[in-house]
């Protein structure tokens, strides 16, 4: 059975993110897409629009010296515009290491992601890592 189009879109996004292909990522997002990053650290908050999101992604790579990895583990869809992506996130930064599961809940309209709600396994650990 073929993979659902929303799962295909998100899979392509993870592949583009992993290879640093920001142009491909832009093509998968609506121009006014929003990425919500949980926590109370310097990178948490709401990033509205492709430029703001791409800048935040660039900062993730810079802050971790390129060690950051988001390994896609599983995708789930509801057929109504939502796709949940479970991933394993690992990175090193300022002598700290993080390795935990997380997810992003994607809202998809047509063939573009419009909203990304990120969830982390341990919000205190994430806050500590990024501060």
């Amino acid at each position: 059975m073929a993979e659902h189009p929303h799962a295909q879109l998100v899979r392509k996004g993870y592949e583009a993110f992993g290879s640093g292909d920001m142009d491909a990522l832009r093509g998968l997002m609506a121009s006014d897409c929003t990425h919500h990053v949980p926590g109370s650290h310097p990178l948490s908050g709401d990033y509205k629009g492709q430029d703001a999101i791409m800048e935040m992604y660039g900062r993730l790579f810079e802050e971790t010296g390129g060690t950051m990895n988001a390994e896609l583990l599983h995708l789930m869809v509801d057929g109504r515009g939502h796709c949940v992506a479970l991933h394993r996130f690992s990175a090193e930064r300022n002598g700290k290491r993080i390795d935990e599961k997380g997810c992003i809940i994607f809202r998809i309209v047509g063939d573009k992601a419009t909203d990304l709600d990120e969830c982390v396994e341990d919000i205190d650990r994430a806050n500590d890592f990024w501060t």
Side-chain angles (χ1 to χ4, degrees), residues 36-41 43-45 118-120 123 126-127:
H36 309 277
V37 179
S40 58
H41 55 81
L43 288 172
S44 64
E118 188 174 333
C119 298
V120 295
I123 201 158
N127 285 334

Side-chain angles (χ1 to χ4, degrees), residues 16-75:
F17 184 83
S19 68
D21 188 346
M22 297 300 117
D23 289 334
L25 270 176
R26 281 181 187 275
L28 301 173
M29 294 180 190
S31 61
D32 62 347
C33 185
T34 302
H35 187 140
H36 309 277
V37 179
S40 58
H41 55 81
L43 288 172
S44 64
D46 298 330
Y47 295 86
K48 179 81 169 168
Q50 291 178 350
D51 290 341
I53 294 170
M54 294 306 135
E55 287 174 20
M56 184 264 292
Y57 291 168
R59 193 160 167 216
L60 291 173
F61 286 106
E62 289 172 19
E63 292 280 336
T64 63
T67 64
M68 187 187 74
N69 184 47
E71 175 192 358
L72 183 61
L73 300 174
H74 195 70
L75 293 169

Side-chain angles (χ1 to χ4, degrees), residues 43-128:
L43 288 172
S44 64
D46 298 330
Y47 295 86
K48 179 81 169 168
Q50 291 178 350
D51 290 341
I53 294 170
M54 294 306 135
E55 287 174 20
M56 184 264 292
Y57 291 168
R59 193 160 167 216
L60 291 173
F61 286 106
E62 289 172 19
E63 292 280 336
T64 63
T67 64
M68 187 187 74
N69 184 47
E71 175 192 358
L72 183 61
L73 300 174
H74 195 70
L75 293 169
M76 295 166 277
V77 298
D78 70 355
R80 297 179 296 111
H82 298 95
C83 181
V84 177
L86 176 65
H87 59 254
R88 181 176 179 182
F89 175 79
S90 61
E92 295 178 18
R93 178 178 180 274
N94 297 334
K96 298 177 187 177
R97 176 154 174 73
I98 194 166
D99 188 346
E100 66 178 18
K101 290 181 182 161
C103 76
I104 300 177
I105 303 159
F106 292 81
R107 172 74 174 133
I108 300 166
V109 176
D111 62 350
K112 303 282 185 190
T114 62
D115 202 67
L116 289 72
D117 281 309
E118 188 174 333
C119 298
V120 295
E121 187 173 37
D122 185 330
I123 201 158
D124 293 329
R125 183 174 22 195
N127 285 334
D128 180 63

